[in-house]
Amino acid sequence: MRKQFRSAFTTRQTMLAHDFEIYYYSDLHFQSVGSHSHSYYEISYLAKGTCIQIVGGSEIHTKVGDFIILAPGVSHYIQILDDESIVLSIGIRKSTFQNAFFGLFTG
């Protein structure tokens, strides 16, 4: 991904868009957000580098290509481990996520 597509980092933990929001972050210059949760689903994808996701108190060491789906209300935060890391974060409103995916799991 190119630098012009990077999102300015925000500590905001609420959605402004109707259905979903996408953020593209990179490097170690994340402001500390600390452990938090959302009222929406978050999909976190590691495109480059290394990071640790702390989810519900457990450390998850991610590698390039890994993604994590965080359900609403799950406490989490991320630790970026190098200057080259690129993280894509997608917030999806709970109702949008459920309408799109939950039907796949019911008979």
Side-chain angles (χ1 to χ4, degrees), residues 32-100:
S32 177
V33 174
S35 187
H36 63 280
S37 63
H38 309 281
S39 61
Y40 53 88
Y41 283 87
E42 181 177 0
I43 299 173
S44 180
Y45 173 75
L46 184 61
K48 183 178 179 183
T50 56
C51 73
I52 299 172
Q53 295 267 2
I54 294 80
V55 180
S58 298
E59 287 188 3
I60 301 171
H61 294 259
T62 56
K63 61 185 182 305
V64 172
D66 286 350
F67 68 93
I68 295 176
I69 300 174
L70 299 159
V74 173
S75 178
H76 64 280
Y77 65 98
I78 188 171
Q79 293 178 343
I80 303 298
L81 301 177
D82 63 67
D83 283 328
E84 300 300 316
S85 292
I86 297 174
V87 177
L88 180 67
S89 179
I90 303 169
I92 303 174
R93 191 167 304 283
K94 186 176 180 179
S95 60
T96 301
F97 188 92
Q98 290 174 342
N99 289 337

Side-chain angles (χ1 to χ4, degrees), residues 16-30:
L16 300 178
H18 177 68
D19 290 325
F20 67 90
E21 295 179 354
I22 299 174
Y23 294 95
Y24 159 44
Y25 302 123
S26 64
D27 68 45
L28 287 171
H29 304 291
F30 285 85

